Amino acid sequence: MTSRRHKPASSPSLRWLIALFCALIVLPAPASAHHTIATSRVEVPTPWSGATPHLTSGRAALSLDLGYGVARRARLLRGTQPYRGLEIGAVTAHTVTFDAGLSLPEARAALSLRLPFGIARVAPTEAPARRSVGVGDVEVAAARELLPRRTASSLVATAALVTPTGAYERGGDLELVDVAPGTDGQLIVSTYQTRASIGAGVWALRAGVAFSGGRAQARLSPRLHASLGVPLSQTPDDIRWGLDADVGAAARLRVAAPFAVELGSTAARHVKDRVPVPATDTQSAADARVGGRTELRLDAAAFVDPEGPLGCYVATSLPVYQRLGGVQLASAPTVLVGCGWTVALHERR
């Protein structure tokens, strides 16, 4: 789910006008000014159980998963530092995700369908809160085991197509105007926006690979994972989102049957988006490359019977380092809960 910004009105607020007026008086700069616009998204929490299609051994199986995630973002950062200017409000994102998977052990492959349902509550500082509810971007994925059958470890490659089925609004939800002197003596007037749409508004491909060491029933199992998200189209308002890449490592420990815990860390990078900048009296229409971000997260989860026919989990992801391009809402701790059910369709003889 992308975060949608709440735009209280078509004109800036009184405080923003005062700040801009004061800056034009105090700063020694020509009358003209450069203008940039940056649009950032707030992602909906992704349930743990649906990260990749389920792969089972010795039997074809159907898996059904239901997950819920929530996160609230209200802290602004410029680079790595808290932003001391105007506040814009907060975004609270909820998601309920249904995953259905089919494991085909003879082909050493699996297929899955993800159907998310999202709720985004946008609460600007100077306008009434707004809430949007609806189906998110549906995802179809396929996974295949790459290592030989008798290998204790597992190496699974995944490819997914993400469809723009979620509602996408062209307007922004949260916005602030920041004025700063540029290196050429002119003013840099930057409009920073945060989107809180249910959907990203684009077709996209997601590819990933996950390595798990040791057998399924091992007491301690290391895991490495990496993924890349590639947008294939532009949004209805001509924004082209940047690439998303992440890499991480974790270790799962079986405490005592049927309980297990997992601890890990993930580094994520969002490449700058290409956002159209409208023409003004001092500059022609152009595209701006803005909105890049880098973050490091600590991940933790507790499982009940993760390899059994009915398993549940609770997980959290905690950002410990963030570097944001421009002024953006910082990522916040995420809480995830869910359960999954697997049933064999037939036994292999």
Side-chain angles (χ1 to χ4, degrees), residues 267-348:
R269 170 66 180 168
H270 176 75
V271 179
K272 291 180 179 180
D273 309 310
R274 193 185 71 191
V275 179
V277 178
T280 65
D281 294 338
T282 60
Q283 67 182 44
S284 58
D287 288 339
R289 297 286 294 178
V290 292
R293 57 192 301 139
T294 302
E295 66 179 63
L296 177 66
R297 303 189 298 266
L298 293 180
D299 307 314
F303 299 86
V304 178
D305 200 16
E307 307 296 338
L310 178 62
C312 296
Y313 69 90
V314 57
T316 185
S317 183
L318 176 66
V320 294
Y321 171 82
Q322 298 182 67
R323 178 180 289 276
L324 310 182
V327 180
Q328 298 186 44
L329 279 176
S331 295
T334 299
V335 176
L336 305 165
V337 295
C339 287
W341 176 60
T342 302
V343 57
L345 299 182
H346 70 270
E347 295 291 341
R348 192 176 69 180

Coordinates of all heavy atoms in Angstrom, one line a residue, residues 267-348:
A267 N 18.7 -4.8 4.9 CA 19.1 -3.5 4.3 C 18.2 -3.3 3.1 O 18.2 -4.1 2.2 CB 20.5 -3.5 4.0
A268 N 17.6 -2.1 2.9 CA 16.8 -1.8 1.8 C 17.1 -0.5 1.2 O 17.6 0.5 1.9 CB 15.3 -1.7 2.3
R269 N 17.0 -0.4 -0.1 CA 17.3 0.8 -0.9 C 16.2 1.1 -1.9 O 15.8 0.2 -2.6 CB 18.6 0.6 -1.6 CG 19.0 1.7 -2.6 CD 19.2 3.0 -2.0 NE 19.5 4.1 -2.9 CZ 19.6 5.4 -2.6 NH1 19.3 5.8 -1.4 NH2 19.9 6.3 -3.6
H270 N 15.7 2.3 -1.9 CA 14.7 2.7 -2.9 C 15.4 3.8 -3.7 O 15.8 4.8 -3.3 CB 13.5 3.3 -2.2 CG 12.5 3.9 -3.2 ND1 11.7 3.1 -4.0 CD2 12.2 5.2 -3.6 CE1 10.9 3.9 -4.7 NE2 11.2 5.1 -4.5
V271 N 15.5 3.5 -5.0 CA 16.2 4.4 -6.0 C 15.2 5.6 -6.2 O 14.0 5.5 -6.2 CB 16.5 3.7 -7.3 CG1 17.1 4.6 -8.3 CG2 17.4 2.5 -7.0
K272 N 15.8 6.7 -6.6 CA 15.0 7.9 -6.8 C 13.9 7.8 -7.8 O 14.1 7.1 -8.8 CB 15.9 9.1 -7.2 CG 16.9 9.6 -6.1 CD 17.8 10.7 -6.7 CE 18.7 11.2 -5.6 NZ 19.6 12.3 -6.1
D273 N 12.8 8.4 -7.5 CA 11.6 8.4 -8.4 C 11.8 9.5 -9.5 O 12.5 10.5 -9.2 CB 10.3 8.6 -7.7 CG 10.2 7.7 -6.5 OD1 10.4 6.5 -6.7 OD2 9.9 8.2 -5.4
R274 N 11.1 9.4 -10.6 CA 11.1 10.4 -11.6 C 9.7 11.1 -11.5 O 8.7 10.5 -11.9 CB 11.3 9.8 -13.0 CG 11.6 10.9 -14.0 CD 11.7 10.3 -15.4 NE 10.4 9.8 -15.9 CZ 10.2 9.1 -16.9 NH1 11.3 8.6 -17.6 NH2 9.0 8.7 -17.3
V275 N 9.7 12.3 -11.0 CA 8.5 13.0 -10.8 C 8.4 14.2 -11.7 O 9.4 15.0 -11.8 CB 8.4 13.5 -9.3 CG1 7.1 14.3 -9.1 CG2 8.5 12.3 -8.4
P276 N 7.3 14.4 -12.5 CA 7.2 15.6 -13.3 C 7.1 16.9 -12.5 O 6.3 16.9 -11.6 CB 6.0 15.3 -14.2 CG 5.2 14.4 -13.3 CD 6.2 13.5 -12.6
V277 N 7.8 17.9 -12.9 CA 7.7 19.2 -12.3 C 7.0 20.2 -13.3 O 7.5 20.3 -14.4 CB 9.1 19.8 -11.9 CG1 9.0 21.2 -11.3 CG2 9.8 18.8 -11.0
P278 N 5.9 20.8 -12.9 CA 5.2 21.7 -13.8 C 6.0 22.9 -14.2 O 6.8 23.3 -13.4 CB 3.9 22.0 -13.1 CG 4.2 21.8 -11.6 CD 5.2 20.7 -11.6
A279 N 5.7 23.5 -15.3 CA 6.3 24.7 -15.8 C 5.9 25.9 -14.9 O 4.8 25.9 -14.4 CB 6.0 25.0 -17.2
T280 N 6.9 26.8 -14.7 CA 6.6 28.0 -13.9 C 7.1 29.2 -14.7 O 7.5 29.1 -15.9 CB 7.3 28.0 -12.6 OG1 8.8 28.0 -12.8 CG2 7.0 26.8 -11.8
D281 N 7.0 30.4 -14.2 CA 7.4 31.6 -14.9 C 8.9 31.6 -15.1 O 9.4 32.3 -16.0 CB 7.0 32.9 -14.1 CG 5.5 33.1 -14.0 OD1 4.8 32.5 -14.9 OD2 5.0 33.7 -13.1
T282 N 9.6 30.9 -14.3 CA 11.1 30.9 -14.3 C 11.7 29.6 -14.9 O 12.9 29.6 -15.0 CB 11.7 31.2 -12.9 OG1 11.3 30.2 -12.0 CG2 11.2 32.6 -12.4
Q283 N 11.0 28.6 -15.1 CA 11.5 27.3 -15.6 C 10.5 26.6 -16.4 O 9.3 26.7 -16.1 CB 12.1 26.5 -14.4 CG 11.0 25.9 -13.5 CD 11.6 25.1 -12.4 OE1 12.5 25.5 -11.7 NE2 11.0 24.0 -12.1
S284 N 10.9 25.8 -17.3 CA 10.0 25.0 -18.1 C 9.7 23.7 -17.4 O 10.4 23.3 -16.5 CB 10.7 24.7 -19.5 OG 11.9 24.1 -19.3
A285 N 8.7 22.9 -17.9 CA 8.4 21.7 -17.4 C 9.5 20.7 -17.5 O 10.3 20.7 -18.5 CB 7.1 21.1 -18.1
A286 N 9.7 19.9 -16.5 CA 10.9 18.9 -16.5 C 10.5 17.8 -15.6 O 9.5 17.8 -14.8 CB 12.2 19.6 -16.1
D287 N 11.4 16.8 -15.6 CA 11.3 15.6 -14.6 C 12.4 15.8 -13.6 O 13.5 16.1 -13.9 CB 11.4 14.3 -15.3 CG 10.2 14.0 -16.2 OD1 9.2 14.5 -15.9 OD2 10.4 13.2 -17.1
A288 N 12.0 15.6 -12.3 CA 13.0 15.6 -11.2 C 13.2 14.2 -10.7 O 12.3 13.4 -10.6 CB 12.4 16.5 -10.1
R289 N 14.5 13.9 -10.4 CA 14.9 12.6 -9.8 C 15.0 12.8 -8.3 O 16.0 13.4 -7.8 CB 16.2 12.2 -10.4 CG 16.1 11.9 -11.9 CD 15.4 10.6 -12.2 NE 16.1 9.5 -11.7 CZ 15.6 8.2 -11.8 NH1 14.5 8.0 -12.4 NH2 16.3 7.2 -11.3
V290 N 14.0 12.4 -7.5 CA 13.9 12.7 -6.1 C 13.4 11.4 -5.4 O 12.9 10.5 -6.0 CB 13.0 13.9 -5.8 CG1 13.6 15.2 -6.4 CG2 11.6 13.6 -6.5
G291 N 13.4 11.5 -4.0 CA 12.7 10.5 -3.2 C 13.5 9.3 -2.9 O 12.9 8.3 -2.4
G292 N 14.8 9.3 -3.1 CA 15.6 8.1 -2.7 C 15.7 7.9 -1.2 O 15.5 8.8 -0.5
R293 N 15.9 6.6 -0.8 CA 16.0 6.3 0.6 C 16.7 5.0 0.8 O 16.6 4.1 0.1 CB 14.6 6.3 1.3 CG 13.6 5.3 0.7 CD 12.2 5.4 1.1 NE 12.1 5.3 2.6 CZ 11.3 6.1 3.3 NH1 10.6 7.1 2.8 NH2 11.2 6.0 4.6
T294 N 17.4 5.0 2.0 CA 18.2 3.8 2.4 C 17.9 3.6 3.8 O 17.8 4.5 4.6 CB 19.7 4.0 2.2 OG1 20.0 4.3 0.8 CG2 20.5 2.8 2.6
E295 N 17.6 2.3 4.2 CA 17.4 2.0 5.6 C 17.9 0.6 6.0 O 18.0 -0.3 5.1 CB 15.9 2.1 5.9 CG 15.0 1.1 5.2 CD 13.5 1.4 5.7 OE1 13.0 2.4 5.4 OE2 12.9 0.5 6.3
L296 N 18.1 0.5 7.3 CA 18.5 -0.8 7.8 C 17.5 -1.2 8.9 O 17.2 -0.3 9.8 CB 19.9 -0.7 8.4 CG 20.5 -1.9 9.1 CD1 20.7 -3.1 8.1 CD2 21.8 -1.6 9.8
R297 N 17.0 -2.4 8.9 CA 16.0 -2.8 9.8 C 16.4 -4.1 10.6 O 17.1 -4.9 10.0 CB 14.7 -3.1 9.1 CG 14.1 -2.0 8.3 CD 12.7 -2.3 7.8 NE 12.7 -3.5 6.9 CZ 12.8 -3.4 5.6 NH1 12.9 -2.3 5.0 NH2 12.7 -4.5 4.9
L298 N 16.0 -4.1 11.8 CA 16.1 -5.4 12.6 C 14.8 -6.1 12.6 O 13.7 -5.4 12.8 CB 16.5 -5.1 14.0 CG 17.9 -4.5 14.2 CD1 18.2 -4.2 15.7 CD2 19.0 -5.4 13.6
D299 N 14.8 -7.4 12.3 CA 13.6 -8.2 12.2 C 13.5 -9.2 13.3 O 14.6 -9.9 13.6 CB 13.5 -8.8 10.8 CG 13.6 -7.8 9.7 OD1 13.0 -6.7 9.8 OD2 14.4 -8.1 8.7
A300 N 12.4 -9.5 13.8 CA 12.2 -10.5 14.8 C 10.8 -11.2 14.7 O 9.9 -10.5 14.4 CB 12.4 -10.0 16.3
A301 N 10.8 -12.5 14.9 CA 9.5 -13.2 14.8 C 9.5 -14.4 15.7 O 10.5 -14.9 16.0 CB 9.3 -13.6 13.3
A302 N 8.3 -14.7 16.1 CA 8.0 -15.9 16.9 C 7.0 -16.8 16.2 O 6.0 -16.2 15.8 CB 7.6 -15.6 18.3
F303 N 7.2 -18.1 16.1 CA 6.3 -19.0 15.4 C 5.8 -20.1 16.3 O 6.5 -20.5 17.2 CB 7.1 -19.6 14.2 CG 7.7 -18.7 13.2 CD1 8.9 -18.1 13.4 CD2 7.0 -18.4 12.1 CE1 9.4 -17.2 12.5 CE2 7.5 -17.5 11.1 CZ 8.7 -16.9 11.3
V304 N 4.6 -20.5 15.9 CA 4.0 -21.7 16.6 C 3.8 -22.7 15.4 O 3.1 -22.5 14.5 CB 2.7 -21.4 17.3 CG1 2.1 -22.7 17.8 CG2 2.9 -20.4 18.3
D305 N 4.5 -23.9 15.5 CA 4.4 -25.0 14.6 C 4.6 -24.5 13.1 O 3.7 -24.6 12.3 CB 3.1 -25.7 14.7 CG 3.1 -27.0 14.1 OD1 4.2 -27.6 13.8 OD2 2.0 -27.6 13.8
P306 N 5.8 -23.8 12.8 CA 6.0 -23.3 11.5 C 6.0 -24.3 10.3 O 5.7 -23.9 9.2 CB 7.3 -22.5 11.6 CG 8.0 -23.2 12.7 CD 7.0 -23.7 13.7
E307 N 6.3 -25.5 10.6 CA 6.4 -26.6 9.6 C 5.2 -27.5 9.6 O 5.1 -28.4 8.8 CB 7.6 -27.4 9.8 CG 8.9 -26.7 9.9 CD 9.2 -25.9 8.6 OE1 8.7 -26.3 7.5 OE2 10.0 -24.9 8.7
G308 N 4.2 -27.2 10.5 CA 3.0 -28.1 10.6 C 1.9 -27.7 9.7 O 2.0 -26.7 9.0
P309 N 0.8 -28.4 9.8 CA -0.3 -28.0 8.9 C -1.0 -26.7 9.3 O -1.6 -26.1 8.4 CB -1.3 -29.2 9.1 CG -0.9 -29.8 10.4 CD 0.6 -29.6 10.6
L310 N -0.9 -26.3 10.5 CA -1.5 -25.1 11.0 C -0.4 -24.3 11.8 O -0.1 -24.8 12.9 CB -2.8 -25.3 11.8 CG -3.4 -24.0 12.4 CD1 -3.9 -23.1 11.2 CD2 -4.6 -24.4 13.3
G311 N 0.0 -23.2 11.3 CA 1.1 -22.5 12.0 C 0.7 -21.0 12.1 O 0.0 -20.5 11.3
C312 N 1.2 -20.3 13.2 CA 0.9 -18.9 13.4 C 2.2 -18.2 13.7 O 3.2 -18.8 14.1 CB -0.1 -18.7 14.5 SG -1.8 -19.4 14.2
Y313 N 2.2 -16.9 13.6 CA 3.4 -16.1 13.9 C 3.0 -14.7 14.4 O 1.9 -14.2 14.1 CB 4.3 -16.0 12.6 CG 3.6 -15.1 11.6 CD1 3.9 -13.8 11.5 CD2 2.8 -15.7 10.6 CE1 3.3 -13.0 10.5 CE2 2.2 -14.9 9.6 CZ 2.5 -13.5 9.6 OH 1.9 -12.8 8.7
V314 N 4.0 -14.1 15.0 CA 3.9 -12.6 15.3 C 5.3 -12.1 15.0 O 6.3 -12.7 15.4 CB 3.5 -12.4 16.8 CG1 4.4 -13.0 17.8 CG2 3.4 -10.9 17.0
A315 N 5.4 -11.0 14.4 CA 6.7 -10.5 13.9 C 6.7 -8.9 14.0 O 5.6 -8.3 14.1 CB 6.9 -10.9 12.5
T316 N 7.9 -8.4 14.1 CA 8.1 -7.0 14.1 C 9.3 -6.6 13.3 O 10.2 -7.4 13.2 CB 8.2 -6.4 15.5 OG1 8.2 -5.0 15.5 CG2 9.4 -6.9 16.2
S317 N 9.3 -5.4 12.7 CA 10.4 -4.9 12.0 C 10.7 -3.5 12.5 O 9.9 -2.6 12.5 CB 10.2 -4.8 10.5 OG 11.3 -4.4 9.7
L318 N 12.0 -3.3 12.9 CA 12.3 -2.0 13.6 C 13.4 -1.3 12.8 O 14.6 -1.8 12.7 CB 12.8 -2.3 15.0 CG 13.3 -1.1 15.9 CD1 12.2 -0.2 16.2 CD2 14.0 -1.6 17.2
P319 N 13.2 -0.1 12.3 CA 14.2 0.6 11.6 C 15.3 1.2 12.6 O 14.9 1.8 13.6 CB 13.4 1.8 10.9 CG 12.0 1.4 11.0 CD 11.8 0.5 12.2
V320 N 16.5 0.9 12.3 CA 17.6 1.4 13.2 C 18.5 2.4 12.5 O 19.2 3.1 13.1 CB 18.5 0.2 13.6 CG1 17.7 -0.7 14.5 CG2 19.1 -0.6 12.5
Y321 N 18.4 2.6 11.2 CA 19.1 3.6 10.4 C 18.3 3.9 9.2 O 17.8 3.1 8.5 CB 20.5 3.1 10.0 CG 21.2 4.0 9.1 CD1 21.9 5.1 9.6 CD2 21.2 3.8 7.7 CE1 22.6 6.0 8.7 CE2 21.9 4.7 6.8 CZ 22.5 5.8 7.3 OH 23.2 6.6 6.5
Q322 N 18.2 5.3 8.9 CA 17.5 5.7 7.7 C 18.3 6.9 7.1 O 18.7 7.8 7.9 CB 16.1 6.1 8.0 CG 15.2 4.9 8.5 CD 13.8 5.4 8.7 OE1 13.1 5.7 7.8 NE2 13.4 5.4 10.0
R323 N 18.4 7.0 5.8 CA 18.9 8.1 5.1 C 17.9 8.4 4.0 O 17.8 7.7 3.0 CB 20.3 7.9 4.6 CG 20.8 9.1 3.8 CD 22.2 8.9 3.2 NE 23.2 8.9 4.3 CZ 23.8 9.9 4.8 NH1 23.5 11.1 4.3 NH2 24.7 9.8 5.7
L324 N 17.2 9.6 4.1 CA 16.2 9.9 3.2 C 16.6 11.1 2.3 O 17.2 12.0 2.8 CB 14.9 10.3 3.9 CG 14.4 9.3 5.0 CD1 13.1 9.7 5.7 CD2 14.3 7.9 4.5
G325 N 16.2 11.0 1.0 CA 16.4 12.1 0.1 C 15.4 13.2 0.3 O 14.2 13.0 0.2
G326 N 15.8 14.4 0.6 CA 14.9 15.5 0.9 C 14.2 15.3 2.2 O 14.8 14.7 3.2
V327 N 13.0 15.8 2.4 CA 12.2 15.6 3.6 C 11.1 14.6 3.4 O 10.3 14.7 2.5 CB 11.5 17.0 4.0 CG1 10.7 16.8 5.3 CG2 12.6 18.1 4.2
Q328 N 11.2 13.5 4.1 CA 10.2 12.4 4.0 C 9.8 11.9 5.4 O 10.4 12.1 6.4 CB 10.8 11.3 3.2 CG 11.2 11.5 1.8 CD 11.7 10.3 1.1 OE1 11.1 9.2 1.2 NE2 12.8 10.4 0.4
L329 N 8.6 11.3 5.4 CA 8.2 10.6 6.6 C 9.1 9.4 6.8 O 9.2 8.5 5.9 CB 6.7 10.1 6.4 CG 5.6 11.1 6.7 CD1 4.3 10.5 6.5 CD2 5.7 11.6 8.1
A330 N 9.6 9.2 7.9 CA 10.5 8.1 8.2 C 9.7 6.9 8.4 O 8.6 6.9 8.9 CB 11.4 8.4 9.5
S331 N 10.4 5.7 8.1 CA 9.8 4.4 8.4 C 9.6 4.3 9.9 O 10.4 4.8 10.7 CB 10.6 3.3 7.9 OG 10.6 3.4 6.5
A332 N 8.6 3.5 10.3 CA 8.3 3.3 11.8 C 8.3 1.8 12.0 O 8.2 1.0 11.1 CB 7.0 4.0 12.1
P333 N 8.3 1.4 13.3 CA 8.2 0.0 13.7 C 6.9 -0.6 13.1 O 5.8 0.1 13.1 CB 8.2 0.0 15.2 CG 9.0 1.2 15.6 CD 8.6 2.2 14.5
T334 N 7.0 -1.8 12.6 CA 5.8 -2.5 12.0 C 5.5 -3.8 12.8 O 6.4 -4.5 13.3 CB 6.1 -2.9 10.6 OG1 6.4 -1.7 9.8 CG2 5.0 -3.6 9.9
V335 N 4.2 -4.0 13.0 CA 3.8 -5.2 13.7 C 3.0 -6.1 12.8 O 2.1 -5.6 12.1 CB 2.9 -4.9 15.0 CG1 2.4 -6.2 15.6 CG2 3.7 -4.1 16.0
L336 N 3.3 -7.4 12.7 CA 2.7 -8.3 11.8 C 2.2 -9.6 12.6 O 2.9 -10.1 13.5 CB 3.6 -8.8 10.7 CG 4.3 -7.7 9.9 CD1 5.5 -8.3 9.1 CD2 3.3 -7.1 9.0
V337 N 1.0 -10.0 12.3 CA 0.5 -11.3 12.9 C -0.2 -12.1 11.8 O -0.7 -11.5 10.8 CB -0.4 -11.0 14.1 CG1 0.3 -10.4 15.2 CG2 -1.6 -10.2 13.6
G338 N -0.2 -13.4 11.9 CA -0.9 -14.2 10.9 C -0.9 -15.6 11.2 O -0.2 -16.1 12.1
C339 N -1.6 -16.4 10.4 CA -1.7 -17.8 10.6 C -1.8 -18.4 9.1 O -2.3 -17.8 8.2 CB -2.9 -18.3 11.4 SG -2.8 -18.0 13.1
G340 N -1.3 -19.7 9.0 CA -1.3 -20.3 7.7 C -1.8 -21.8 7.9 O -1.5 -22.4 8.9
W341 N -2.5 -22.3 6.9 CA -3.0 -23.7 7.0 C -2.6 -24.4 5.7 O -2.7 -23.8 4.6 CB -4.5 -23.6 7.1 CG -5.2 -25.0 7.0 CD1 -5.0 -26.1 7.9 CD2 -6.1 -25.4 6.1 NE1 -5.7 -27.1 7.5 CE2 -6.5 -26.8 6.4 CE3 -6.8 -24.8 5.0 CZ2 -7.4 -27.5 5.7 CZ3 -7.7 -25.5 4.2 CH2 -8.0 -26.9 4.6
T342 N -2.0 -25.6 5.8 CA -1.5 -26.3 4.6 C -2.2 -27.7 4.7 O -2.2 -28.4 5.7 CB 0.0 -26.5 4.7 OG1 0.6 -25.3 4.7 CG2 0.4 -27.3 3.5
V343 N -2.8 -28.1 3.5 CA -3.5 -29.4 3.4 C -2.9 -30.1 2.2 O -2.8 -29.6 1.1 CB -5.0 -29.2 3.4 CG1 -5.4 -28.3 2.2 CG2 -5.7 -30.5 3.3
A344 N -2.6 -31.4 2.4 CA -2.1 -32.2 1.3 C -3.3 -32.6 0.3 O -4.4 -32.9 0.8 CB -1.5 -33.5 1.8
L345 N -3.0 -32.5 -1.0 CA -4.0 -32.8 -2.0 C -3.9 -34.3 -2.3 O -4.9 -34.9 -2.6 CB -3.8 -32.0 -3.2 CG -3.9 -30.5 -3.1 CD1 -3.7 -29.8 -4.4 CD2 -5.3 -30.1 -2.5
H346 N -2.7 -34.9 -2.3 CA -2.6 -36.3 -2.4 C -1.2 -36.7 -2.0 O -0.3 -35.9 -2.0 CB -2.8 -36.8 -3.9 CG -1.7 -36.3 -4.8 ND1 -1.7 -35.1 -5.5 CD2 -0.5 -36.9 -5.2 CE1 -0.6 -34.9 -6.2 NE2 0.1 -36.0 -6.1
E347 N -1.0 -37.9 -1.6 CA 0.3 -38.4 -1.1 C 1.0 -39.1 -2.3 O 0.4 -39.7 -3.1 CB 0.1 -39.5 0.0 CG -0.5 -38.9 1.3 CD 0.5 -37.9 2.0 OE1 1.7 -38.0 1.7 OE2 0.0 -37.1 2.8
R348 N 2.3 -38.8 -2.3 CA 3.1 -39.5 -3.4 C 3.4 -40.9 -3.0 O 3.9 -41.2 -1.9 CB 4.4 -38.7 -3.6 CG 5.2 -39.1 -4.8 CD 6.4 -38.2 -5.0 NE 7.4 -38.5 -4.0 CZ 8.6 -37.9 -3.9 NH1 8.9 -37.0 -4.7 NH2 9.4 -38.3 -2.9

